């Protein structure tokens, strides 16, 4: 405990003495944590949105223009008897056109030039979440697609799966970039800490001569790196929060439409704590690398 207390006090004092050069190390770690934090922030919100969409997934059965009422009735009967849906709604051609004009008001003027209504009638089916997991919903989609009067069937889960795959690729690429930047930040921390080490070379030699434990010699430099990493991560979290607030202020109304009335969310506490811990680990690694030159 004495060694830890000494390392913390001396590490903070060294950080304050060398605050000019230490600022570069803090900024380097902040940049690495911003990249990683932006990745977490993006994937967190997208995953939250995907979970929301998946819980209310539906498929749309688009009808042919010449589909008869009997064919529509057969489609609805199959859907009702499947036991995998929570509800359905028939959307006529006129309703489909009206919906397009409401949801895409800036494009509504284009529909005035149509001689005929190009939007097909459809039956929109809300699928029970359990049916998505066990494959019953997919089986129903295949059966419905083969019925007379059906022009096409579009299932939300298909493009949700593609979006999830793309999100995984983005996550891997972002993590790779964050690792590279974290290594660069650790090197920066090591360089800054080593400058302070060289300034205290005489003092360290005296400590060695009087038999000071290695923990008392190396500990302050490791602690200094940990402090730099923690400060860099806190700076990154502050900038990420500010950036999210700016995005919400500028594009909040558009985002609420896209997010179906919701809003962007900041990282949960556990991810914020993970970022701070990661920054401290990177800084500590840099400090440890520099401290090896102390003895």
């Amino acid at each position: 405990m004495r060694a830890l207390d000494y390392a913390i006090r001396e590490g903070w004092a060294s950080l304050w003495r060398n605050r000019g050069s230490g600022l570069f190390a803090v900024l380097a770690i902040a940049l690495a944590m911003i990249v990683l934090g932006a990745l977490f922030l993006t994937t967190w919100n997208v995953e939250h949105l995907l979970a929301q969409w998946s819980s209310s997934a539906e498929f749309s059965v688009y009808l042919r223009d010449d589909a008869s009422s009997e064919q529509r009735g057969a489609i609805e009967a199959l859907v009702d008897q499947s036991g995998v849906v929570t509800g359905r709604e028939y959307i006529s051609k006129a309703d489909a056109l009206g919906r397009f004009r409401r949801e895409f008001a800036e494009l509504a003027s284009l529909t005035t030039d149509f001689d005929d209504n190009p939007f097909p009638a459809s039956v929109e089916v809300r699928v029970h979440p359990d049916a998505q997991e066990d494959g019953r919903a997919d089986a129903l989609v295949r059966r419905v697609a083969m019925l007379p009067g059906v022009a096409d069937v579009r299932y939300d889960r298909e493009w949700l799966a593609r979006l999830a795959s793309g999100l995984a690729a983005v996550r891997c690429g972002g993590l790779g970039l964050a690792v590279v930047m974290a290594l660069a930040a650790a090197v920066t921390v090591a360089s800054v800490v080593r400058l302070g080490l060289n300034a205290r070379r005489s003092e360290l030699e005296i400590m060695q001569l009087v038999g000071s434990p290695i923990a008392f010699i190396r500990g302050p430099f490791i602690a200094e790196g940990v402090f730099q990493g923690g400060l860099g991560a806190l700076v990154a979290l502050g900038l990420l929060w500010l950036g999210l607030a700016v995005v919400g202020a500028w594009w909040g109304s558009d985002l609420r439409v896209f997010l179906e009335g919701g809003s962007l969310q900041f990282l949960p506490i556990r991810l914020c704590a993970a970022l701070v811990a990661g920054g401290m680990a990177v800084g500590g690694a840099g400090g440890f690398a520099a401290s090896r030159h102390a003895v």
Side-chain angles (χ1 to χ4, degrees), residues 205-214 216-217:
E205 291 176 351
I206 294 174
M207 292 180 68
Q208 289 178 347
L209 290 175
V210 300
S212 296
I214 293 179
F216 280 82
I217 298 176

Side-chain angles (χ1 to χ4, degrees), residues 103-119:
E103 296 182 357
F104 302 95
E106 65 278 6
L107 302 176
S109 60
L110 299 178
T111 62
T112 58
D113 299 329
F114 293 154
D115 294 330
D116 297 315
N117 183 353
F119 294 94

Side-chain angles (χ1 to χ4, degrees), residues 6 16 19 26 38 42 46 49 62 69-70 91 94 104 119 160 174 179 190 197 200 204 214 217 220 225 260 280:
Y6 176 79
W16 181 251
R19 55 186 178 274
V26 171
T42 301
V46 174
L49 186 59
Y62 294 101
S69 58
E70 290 79 9
I91 306 296
F104 302 95
F119 294 94
L160 287 176
V179 168
L197 185 152
R200 299 178 57 193
L204 296 176
I214 293 179
I217 298 176
E260 299 181 353
M280 295 173 70

Side-chain angles (χ1 to χ4, degrees), residues 180-205:
V180 172
M181 295 189 67
L183 290 175
V187 171
T188 303
V189 171
S191 300
V192 171
V193 172
R194 193 169 180 181
L195 289 175
L197 185 152
N198 291 331
R200 299 178 57 193
R201 177 63 65 183
S202 299
E203 177 185 344
L204 296 176
E205 291 176 351

Side-chain angles (χ1 to χ4, degrees), residues 57-101:
E58 62 181 31
F59 65 85
S60 299
V61 183
Y62 294 101
L63 305 179
R64 296 171 56 91
D65 289 341
D66 58 355
S68 64
S69 58
E70 290 79 9
Q71 290 173 336
R72 172 189 158 192
I75 296 169
E76 293 176 339
L78 176 59
V79 168
D80 294 339
Q81 296 169 9
S82 65
V84 302
V85 302
T86 60
R88 61 172 172 80
E89 181 182 6
Y90 172 70
I91 306 296
S92 67
K93 290 173 64 68
D95 292 337
L97 178 59
R99 175 186 292 182
F100 177 84
R101 288 173 174 171

